[in-house]
Amino acid sequence: MSYGFSMKVDPAQLKDLTDKLDGLYYKAPTVMKNAANATGKAAVKMLEEDWEQRYAYERSDTLKDYLNIKSATYANPRYVISAKTNMEEIINFDVTDRSPERWFGYSVQSVGHVRRDTAREPLVNEFGNKAFVTQFKNGHVSVVARVGEGRKVKSFSSPSFSHMAARSYEEIEPAVQEMLRANTEKQIRKVMDRANG
């Protein structure tokens, strides 16, 4: 799954931009490129901060490790942030009893959560079967629950980085759009000051 968003000056703002630049309208692509890049870099930091506050992710890698970033250029003044990942496993989040332990021949039920604003809860699958930690023959450790008859198990999945990035971006988007407007005005002033300077 992949998800992406970009920082660029919208058409209405572009008309306003060329009017403000007056005789320097040819500087519009440079203004848009610089404004998009300044906004994009700040947006990546805001995105990561929101993600860290929102999700109880326990591994050392971070959201930024899964983002693809394409800076704005003169020819294409858009700063693009995209994320492409598969589903994560719940064991990468805040889960108790991470080691495959057994007490008197029974697995210990796993308790955990993905989002920081929710309490830890006993994990059960759609069949009502309790989750527990197990280690597969290849050494992979996972939170699983039994499915169907017999001893077949299935790992518990959690949101992918692209899903988490999209959710965090929804929260910061108004601030990012306001920042883009402010950065565009700042770049216009810079161009005008140099021309009048």
Side-chain angles (χ1 to χ4, degrees):
M1 179 184 181
S2 64
Y3 185 82
F5 26 85
S6 61
M7 271 50 70
K8 66 177 180 177
V9 177
D10 64 47
Q13 203 175 2
L14 179 57
K15 171 72 170 69
D16 185 48
L17 169 60
T18 53
D19 289 347
K20 286 179 179 175
L21 286 170
D22 195 26
L24 301 168
Y25 62 87
Y26 60 91
K27 290 282 191 179
T30 301
V31 167
M32 291 188 298
K33 172 188 72 106
N34 292 342
N37 282 334
T39 304
K41 287 173 186 173
V44 169
K45 288 181 183 175
M46 291 167 64
L47 198 62
E48 192 156 37
E49 285 170 7
D50 184 87
W51 175 80
E52 286 174 355
Q53 291 173 5
R54 184 176 304 278
Y55 295 101
Y57 195 72
E58 296 289 313
R59 282 179 33 182
S60 60
D61 46 351
T62 67
L63 177 63
K64 195 172 181 182
D65 296 325
Y66 295 90
L67 296 179
N68 296 316
I69 296 166
K70 188 175 180 183
S71 295
T73 64
Y74 183 87
N76 185 12
R78 288 183 353 149
Y79 189 98
V80 180
I81 303 169
S82 60
K84 185 175 182 181
T85 57
N86 297 321
M87 296 290 285
E88 284 291 302
E89 285 195 41
I90 197 127
I91 198 160
N92 296 332
F93 292 81
D94 184 17
V95 176
T96 59
D97 303 317
R98 288 177 173 274
S99 57
E101 297 179 21
R102 295 178 71 83
W103 294 92
F104 305 106
Y106 293 95
S107 299
V108 177
Q109 182 174 11
S110 294
V111 176
H113 63 154
V114 170
R115 290 180 52 137
R116 293 191 190 280
D117 61 354
T118 59
R120 284 181 178 167
E121 295 180 354
L123 302 173
V124 294
N125 66 8
E126 63 269 31
F127 305 107
N129 296 330
K130 295 176 182 178
F132 58 94
V133 178
T134 192
Q135 185 170 13
F136 294 102
K137 288 180 181 177
N138 64 4
H140 180 67
V141 175
S142 184
V143 175
V144 300
R146 300 209 183 282
V147 290
E149 299 295 326
R151 302 187 58 78
K152 188 176 178 183
V153 295
K154 182 179 177 184
S155 296
F156 272 67
S157 295
S158 63
S160 65
F161 274 96
S162 54
H163 175 90
M164 292 186 284
R167 182 67 189 93
S168 285
Y169 189 73
E170 285 175 15
E171 292 297 315
I172 69 167
E173 186 174 18
V176 170
Q177 292 304 323
E178 184 55 42
M179 189 186 306
L180 180 58
R181 280 189 285 278
N183 282 333
T184 302
E185 291 293 330
K186 182 179 177 182
Q187 292 300 322
I188 290 171
R189 285 195 301 274
K190 195 178 281 188
V191 167
M192 299 302 285
D193 288 348
R194 282 180 186 158
N196 298 328

